[in-house]
Each structure stands twice: as C-alpha cells, then as structure tokens.
Amino acid sequence: MAARPPLAGLRVLECSLLGPGAIGTHLSDLGAEVIKVEPPSGDYIREMTWPIIGGVSLLHLHIHRGKQSAMLDLGSEAGAGVFRELARGAAVVIEAMRPGSLERRGLGYAALRELNPQIVFCNISGYGATGPYRDLPAHGIAFDTWGGVVGAARDGEGFCYIPEHASIGMHAGPMFGAVGILAAVIRARETGEGCELEIGQSDATAYMDWYRIESWLAYRRPEDEVTGNKADGYARRAPGTAGMKEGVRYQIYEAADGFVLFMASERAFWKNFCEALNRPELFEKWPGSKFADHARGNRELQAILREIFRTKTAEEWIALGKEKNFPIAPVNTPQSIAEDPQFQHRFPLYPHRRHGADMLPYPVKFPGEELPTPSHAPTPGQHTEQVLRDVLGYSAARIAELRAAGAFGRPRGADSD
C-alpha cells in the first residue's frame, strides 16, 4: 500500500506570477494540495523564457506541475468572496508577487486571519516587504547581481553582457520560503495561531553566499585576530572558490576523455592517492599538512599531476577513487550530467510524454516510500469548477451564478469599460 505523502491534507492557495511560484512547487511535490489562483488573463509565465514546448514555457511546466488552477477575478466582489471561502479552509496562502498585492483587494493577512486564525500567510517577492528596493520591479538575475554572485562580462567589442551562471535567488528564495511555511504550519497546529512571513529572493541569494560575504567581513578585522589557514602559513586567501585558483591537490585536471576534480586536501587522502598509483615518492617529498593543504602554488607538483591524470578516463579515475578511498569527482556540464550514472540513479526523470518536458523529481528521498507523481502543469483556470465543487461543495447552479456575476472574469459579451 502506498504511503500517505508527507504533506497530504495541507491545502495551499497560491497567487503567483512568474518564478516565485516555485515556492508552492516544493509543497506540491511533497503531496500538498496547491491551488493556483489565477486572474482571468492567466499567469504569463506560460510565455516567458525558453524553451517553449508545445506552445508553453518549460518554466511553467516545471514550476506549476502538480498544481490545480482556479480562475478568479479578485477585483470583483464575487471572485474575492470565493477566495475568502477557500482561505477559510486552507492552511496556507502564498502571495508570490509584490508585497501588498492581496491586501489592496481586501485579502491580506489581517483580513484572512479574521476568517481563519490558523492561516499562514507568506509573501515572496524580489527584494522583500521592506527596504528602499521594496517596490522595484525585477527578474531573477537581478537577485544574483545584487547579491554579488554574478558580475558583468565584456565581449570582444567592449559591450557588457550577462555571463552564463546558475541562478541562485530565484531558486533559493522559494526553497527558504517553503521551509518557513512548514515551520509556521507546525506552530499554528500546536498553538492555534497562524502568522505572516515574508522573504525576498535577493535575501536568499545573499544568504546562499554567506561564506564569502562573512569572510570579507571577517577580513575587515585586524590580521592578528583573523588569519588564513594553518596549511597556508596563516596567509589570508580570497574567500570561497576564488581562493582555489592556485590549489594543486584540490584542483580540476584533464583526464583522457574529459575533466575530473581532485580533492586530496587531507594528508590521509593524499597518501591513499600516492599509494594507489605506486608513487610513494610524491608523498615523501610533499606530505603536506594534516588538513586543508592544497599544495598551493606548487607548479612542480601540478605539472606531475597534470600528466598523471591524462593517463586514465574520468570513469576510471572515479572507480579508482572509490576503491582506494580518495576524493575525486566528475566535471559535468548541464548538457552532459543526464548521462552520469549517479544522476541517473538519483533522478529518475518525469517523462515529457506525461509532463510536457523531461523534468527532475523533488530531490528529497523517503526510503521505502515514493513521493506522488505530479500532474501536468495546468492551463489557466483548468480546475476552477472542480475546485469549487470538490473543495467548497458548490452546485452547478451556484457556479453558474458566480460566472454570471463576474467571479471568473467578465462574462462573454459583456460591455467593455
């Protein structure tokens, strides 16, 4: 018998535009019932970015998989009334757009908690609900440039451009928001009191880069208080990966058919590597410190290792690392990673035949259980009548009345303003 999904029974109302809607995806992937409340025009995420698959963006297919779409015109009293009734029985309301969007329609946290004291109301926006950038419109890359994660590149003609990078804020913000929501739901169930919370995707970017930011803050202090690592003679290195450029025992090397990342920064792992290659003289000449020793700047050793790593394929190096216990990893690309055996084992893809695109499943595993397979991302308002019928118990006549009253947008044929 299939196990009950971890978040089964958790009803979430999501009012979202574009990428921040991923906050509800984390909950939906874990079994929550997420109802995406869309305006009559729908969320234009379906037309954003690329690729476009069958006329719909991959962004929409991934972010809104597993959700239901109910179309409500929250600017109408009839539509707002339906939203209030849905909120009365929901655990969570997500406002994944600029702060105050629902409050301006009389549907903010203060109004909803009068109907449902346990409601958890979460806003996720670009720069958060406070601060001088609060009302500044933005897209995902802005959070990474703001956070210092991505800088400007310059082409051969001197024009600046956005370099390729992994987006941080637009992914981390929803993840942190989902964790905060679940913490608030647990407390609400214990105390009977809901709460309001908010997160800026820019904040999430900065937090994900805390190591570099906090390192630079630490380096502002006197050098007799804050030093580098013992293995580097206490000399300060640039924070994070910037300090890895001159590494030798922790570095990328070219294999016979690609690249590998070698990480023998501990003396024990370095010894295992040298013994595995029957090169004890390398360890004898450069034993290194016990921990965190990258043999920084040792070009003689780096040249030797460069030639050594070219003698085997990446797959052979991975196998040897497993056998002899030294850390080594493939250097994949977004194009090649789907062929990696570890990826294939951990990410059985949701197939495009069912979901519109080949997609990665939620990465958290529950041994002995399978998380629910999400449904295809919805068309605008696809589940409106189903939600009103199954969740609120509305009759066909009541739904027809609401339609006539403009709850789902102006009736066809109505006079325009």
Side-chain angles (χ1 to χ4, degrees):
M1 182 176 179
R4 180 176 167 85
L7 295 184
L10 183 75
R11 181 171 295 150
V12 179
L13 300 185
E14 176 191 293
C15 297
S16 62
L17 283 175
L18 304 177
I23 188 171
T25 313
H26 297 303
L27 306 177
S28 174
D29 279 350
L30 289 169
E33 177 189 6
V34 178
I35 301 171
K36 177 176 170 61
V37 178
E38 299 196 59
S41 59
D43 182 351
Y44 67 93
I45 189 175
R46 294 174 177 88
E47 301 179 55
M48 291 294 285
T49 75
W50 53 89
I52 301 295
I53 304 170
V56 179
S57 72
L58 174 60
L59 197 64
H60 169 67
L61 291 173
H62 184 102
I63 286 179
H64 295 307
R65 69 189 189 190
K67 300 178 185 178
Q68 301 176 74
S69 171
M71 185 175 289
L72 292 176
D73 182 356
L74 300 183
S76 71
E77 182 50 44
V82 173
F83 187 87
R84 292 187 187 96
E85 290 198 47
L86 288 170
R88 194 188 301 272
V92 179
V93 169
I94 295 172
E95 180 185 53
M97 55 186 70
R98 294 194 204 184
S101 296
L102 289 177
E103 186 176 9
R104 287 191 291 274
R105 294 168 172 82
L107 302 172
Y109 173 63
L112 297 182
R113 72 176 176 181
E114 294 295 322
L115 304 172
N116 181 353
Q118 291 192 51
I119 198 76
V120 171
F121 187 101
C122 177
N123 173 269
I124 178 169
S125 63
Y127 295 104
T130 61
Y133 296 171
R134 176 186 186 275
D135 297 317
L136 185 64
H139 286 300
I141 295 175
F143 316 133
D144 299 336
T145 59
W146 174 87
V149 173
V150 178
R154 197 179 298 274
D155 66 19
E157 297 180 64
F159 292 101
C160 290
Y161 68 91
I162 302 166
E164 181 184 1
H165 65 281
S167 296
I168 303 298
M170 69 174 287
H171 301 314
M175 179 180 65
F176 285 125
V179 172
I181 284 171
L182 294 179
V185 167
I186 291 172
R187 186 174 67 180
R189 290 178 173 177
E190 291 179 348
T191 65
E193 293 291 329
C195 69
E196 183 178 20
L197 62 147
E198 60 97 358
I199 183 167
Q201 293 167 97
S202 55
D203 295 349
T205 304
Y207 190 82
M208 289 294 287
D209 201 24
W210 68 265
Y211 183 55
R212 287 197 301 176
I213 293 171
E214 292 180 18
S215 292
W216 284 120
L217 290 171
Y219 283 174
R220 291 180 180 178
R221 297 168 58 187
E223 293 195 21
D224 61 347
E225 295 180 11
V226 180
T227 70
N229 191 277
K230 177 182 178 181
D232 293 329
Y234 301 103
R236 292 180 173 185
R237 278 207 224 184
T241 53
M244 308 294 284
K245 183 178 180 180
E246 296 176 344
V248 173
R249 290 209 298 256
Y250 200 135
Q251 193 54 269
I252 290 175
Y253 287 94
E254 185 176 8
D257 62 345
F259 295 89
V260 291
L261 173 63
F262 181 53
M263 299 166 285
S265 55
E266 296 93 337
R267 181 187 289 162
F269 285 140
W270 171 236
K271 185 177 182 181
N272 289 347
F273 173 79
C274 295
E275 290 177 348
L277 297 180
N278 195 27
R279 297 291 299 271
E281 75 280 5
L282 296 180
F283 182 79
E284 291 168 4
K285 186 172 183 179
W286 297 293
S289 297
K290 188 174 183 180
F291 301 116
D293 193 336
H294 300 172
R296 185 184 183 198
N298 187 338
R299 286 296 199 188
E300 181 182 356
L301 176 58
Q302 192 169 19
I304 294 171
L305 292 178
R306 179 172 60 183
E307 296 308 312
I308 287 174
F309 279 106
R310 286 172 173 168
T311 63
K312 299 180 186 295
T313 66
E315 183 179 354
E316 289 171 335
W317 281 118
I318 302 305
L320 188 62
K322 286 169 54 178
E323 179 186 353
K324 300 299 184 180
N325 191 32
F326 60 83
I328 193 163
V331 178
N332 290 316
T333 69
Q335 297 97 316
S336 70
I337 191 171
E339 307 306 318
D340 186 287
Q342 178 73 11
F343 180 94
Q344 292 178 349
H345 178 83
R346 299 289 293 181
F347 286 100
L349 297 175
Y350 296 138
H352 65 267
R353 292 177 298 278
R354 180 170 180 178
H355 300 277
D358 296 311
M359 297 182 195
L360 278 63
Y362 195 71
V364 176
K365 313 293 183 184
F366 291 78
E369 302 180 31
E370 287 190 16
L371 292 176
T373 300
S375 58
H376 192 291
T379 57
Q382 178 180 341
H383 305 95
T384 303
E385 293 194 15
Q386 177 184 327
V387 167
L388 299 187
R389 183 179 63 249
D390 297 348
V391 176
L392 297 181
Y394 286 179
S395 66
R398 174 62 176 148
I399 293 172
E401 290 175 3
L402 288 167
R403 190 179 303 281
F408 317 136
R410 293 180 64 82
R412 290 183 179 180
D415 294 335
S416 59
D417 293 334

